């Protein structure tokens, strides 16, 4: 019932590939649970061969975990061809094992699954860092779009993989496996559901031609005007694509302006303006911190406190008390 509920939950978020992948995995695991209820009798548990057959067919769900990690860390990277190639061994090996009645194929599948799952978990650790760097080049905020929470989920993945391998060695840990799996998916589904889709923002755009020095100078003036006069940084959900639209330019040109001319990321550039604006409010008013955070363009008091402390070297409270009173 849990997996059926999760499948329905993500079916409601139609159109997003990530949601479709999670829904497919929830349906697959749900079917496996039903299969276990109806077909795993005491006799099956006591037969090593029957146990191996049931376990080998369950392994088809493993690549779906990898597909979800790929879509989370590299939106849009997973292709149908790549998915089929990764899925092929998990279909071919149990088929060979069952039809040829040769246990070597089961052993190969267990080893391959352990290597495949472990490799993806390690890859994800590095992919998260790259992902968060890319976000800072596209977004002025990180609430609900960064993948730092996925590091905690990876601990569950490693635990789940270890329990599963032990289970494959005929150590009956089925109940532990199911409990850890459900706990992991409760956390994972919660964060995936609130994770903002950023695929369109992370897709690289290519300009028709290289910009001239004069065009770059004009673009620089437009961007400065947006920040200095129109104070666009006060929009808490400001994105690189918004600046591109306002200047009538391309996201690649805008990205070059921040990365090359300003030697900073879009995230740091925008938040530098927000912090300076907040300093003025802190020095000239006695408003509460959450009010100042909102007025300065931050999504939350927590992000305001974190960014302000990083840029200023002190907390907003310390900055306020350090200012001399009139």
């Amino acid at each position: 019932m849990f997996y059926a509920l999760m499948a329905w939950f993500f079916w409601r978020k139609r159109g997003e590939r990530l949601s479709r992948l999670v829904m497919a995995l929830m349906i697959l695991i749900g079917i496996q649970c039903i299969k276990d209820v109806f077909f795993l009798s005491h006799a099956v548990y006591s037969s090593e061969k029957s146990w191996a057959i049931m376990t080998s067919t369950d392994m088809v769900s493993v690549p779906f975990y990898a597909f979800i990690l790929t879509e989370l860390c590299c939106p849009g990277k997973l292709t149908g061809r790549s998915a089929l190639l990764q899925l092929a061994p998990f279909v071919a090996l149990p088929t060979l094992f069952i039809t040829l009645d040769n246990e070597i194929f089961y052993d190969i599948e267990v080893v391959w699954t352990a290597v495949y799952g472990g490799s993806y978990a390690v890859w994800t650790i590095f992919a998260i860092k790259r992902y968060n760097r890319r976000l800072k080049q596209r977004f002025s905020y990180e609430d609900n779009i960064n993948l730092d929470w996925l590091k905690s989920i990876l601990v569950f993945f490693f635990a789940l993989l270890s329990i599963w391998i032990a289970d494959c060695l005929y150590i009956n840990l089925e109940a532990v496996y199911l409990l850890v799996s459900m706990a992991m998916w409760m956390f994972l589904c919660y964060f995936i559901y609130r994770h903002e889709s950023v695929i369109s923002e992370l897709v690289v755009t290519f300009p028709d031609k290289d910009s001239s020095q004069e065009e770059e100078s004009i673009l620089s003036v437009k961007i400065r005007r947006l920040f200095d006069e129109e104070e666009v940084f006060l929009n808490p959900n400001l994105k690189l694509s918004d600046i591109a639209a306002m200047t009538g330019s391309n996201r690649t040109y805008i990205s070059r302006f921040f990365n090359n001319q300003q030697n900073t990321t879009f995230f740091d550039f925008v938040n530098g303006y927000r912090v300076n604006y907040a300093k003025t409010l802190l020095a000239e008013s006695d408003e509460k911190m959450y009010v100042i955070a909102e007025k300065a363009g931050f999504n939350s008091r927590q992000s305001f406190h974190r960014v302000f402390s990083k840029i200023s070297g002190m907390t907003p409270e310390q900055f306020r008390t350090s200012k001399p009173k009139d």
Side-chain angles (χ1 to χ4, degrees):
M1 288 185 66
F2 169 78
Y3 292 111
L5 179 63
M6 289 298 100
W8 173 81
F9 199 56
F10 282 92
W11 173 79
R12 294 178 60 213
K13 293 188 71 174
R14 303 175 188 177
E16 294 184 9
R17 180 190 289 184
L18 179 60
S19 297
R20 292 199 299 270
L21 287 171
V22 176
M23 181 188 71
L25 181 55
M26 293 296 98
I27 292 173
L28 184 58
I29 297 176
I31 292 173
Q32 291 172 352
C33 290
I34 294 172
K35 176 259 298 177
D36 291 347
V37 170
F38 286 98
F39 296 102
L40 280 180
S41 63
H42 178 72
V44 172
Y45 273 107
S46 61
S47 168
E48 289 188 358
K49 181 181 177 181
S50 298
W51 176 258
I53 290 174
M54 303 299 283
T55 304
S56 67
T57 57
D58 287 345
M59 294 185 203
V60 72
S61 63
V62 174
F64 283 91
Y65 285 84
F67 299 160
I68 291 170
L69 288 175
T70 302
E71 188 63 22
L72 278 168
C73 299
C74 299
K77 180 180 179 180
L78 183 69
T79 63
R81 184 170 180 270
S82 172
L84 288 174
L85 287 174
Q86 293 182 58
L87 194 59
F90 293 94
V91 175
L93 288 171
T95 302
L96 291 171
F97 169 48
I98 295 169
T99 55
L100 300 179
D101 194 21
N102 191 333
E103 197 169 319
I104 187 64
F105 292 108
Y106 175 75
D107 295 333
I108 292 173
E109 186 179 10
V110 172
V111 173
W112 169 244
T113 303
V115 172
Y116 178 86
S119 300
Y120 252 102
V122 173
W123 170 82
T124 304
I125 294 174
F126 295 98
I128 289 170
K129 294 180 180 179
R130 292 195 299 270
Y131 179 94
N132 287 335
R133 281 200 301 269
R134 292 179 67 194
L135 286 179
K136 290 196 173 186
Q137 296 175 346
R138 294 285 186 269
F139 291 83
S140 67
Y141 60 98
E142 57 186 8
D143 303 66
N144 298 338
I145 62 171
N146 73 76
L147 285 183
D148 289 335
W149 54 269
L150 192 54
K151 296 174 185 176
S152 301
I153 299 297
L154 282 176
V155 176
F156 278 99
F157 271 125
F158 276 116
L160 200 61
L161 185 63
S162 301
I163 295 170
W164 175 82
I165 292 171
D167 209 28
C168 290
L169 298 174
Y170 313 115
I171 302 171
N172 193 352
L173 296 173
E174 193 72 14
V176 178
Y177 175 84
L178 287 173
L179 287 173
V180 174
S181 177
M182 287 181 65
M184 182 195 74
W185 277 109
M186 278 190 273
F187 282 106
L188 188 59
C189 288
Y190 167 74
F191 281 109
I192 288 177
Y193 194 79
R194 69 194 286 266
H195 183 75
E196 183 174 333
S197 177
V198 295
I199 293 177
S200 61
E201 287 292 328
L202 294 179
V203 173
V204 178
T205 56
F206 299 96
D208 296 330
K209 60 183 181 63
D210 291 332
S211 59
S212 65
Q213 212 169 24
E214 182 181 356
E215 288 174 325
E216 289 181 354
S217 178
I218 294 173
L219 180 61
S220 176
V221 171
K222 288 181 178 180
I223 293 174
R224 286 295 182 184
R225 183 181 298 122
L226 286 174
F227 281 85
D228 294 333
E229 299 178 14
E230 300 184 28
E231 298 182 330
V232 293
F233 58 87
L234 298 181
N235 174 8
N237 297 318
L238 188 67
K239 300 185 292 293
L240 192 76
S241 58
D242 297 329
I243 301 300
M246 293 174 191
T247 57
S249 185
N250 184 283
R251 274 191 298 154
T252 302
Y253 290 149
I254 305 298
S255 184
R256 285 179 189 170
F257 169 80
F258 293 112
N259 297 334
N260 300 334
Q261 292 190 32
Q262 302 301 312
N263 196 28
T264 187
T265 63
F266 179 66
F267 177 87
D268 291 331
F269 184 87
V270 176
N271 283 309
Y273 270 86
R274 288 171 177 165
V275 167
N276 287 333
Y277 190 85
K279 285 180 178 179
T280 302
L281 296 177
L282 287 167
E284 296 179 353
S285 74
D286 293 321
E287 292 179 311
K288 295 184 180 297
M289 290 299 167
Y290 75 88
V291 176
I292 289 178
E294 184 178 342
K295 285 187 174 182
F298 289 95
N299 289 84
S300 65
R301 180 178 175 178
Q302 290 75 19
S303 61
F304 167 55
H305 190 278
R306 183 174 60 253
V307 172
F308 191 100
S309 300
K310 180 181 178 181
I311 293 178
S312 302
M314 64 177 73
T315 65
E317 292 82 4
Q318 290 171 335
F319 178 84
R320 171 173 274 172
T321 55
S322 70
K323 290 283 122 182
K325 300 294 183 181
D326 292 335

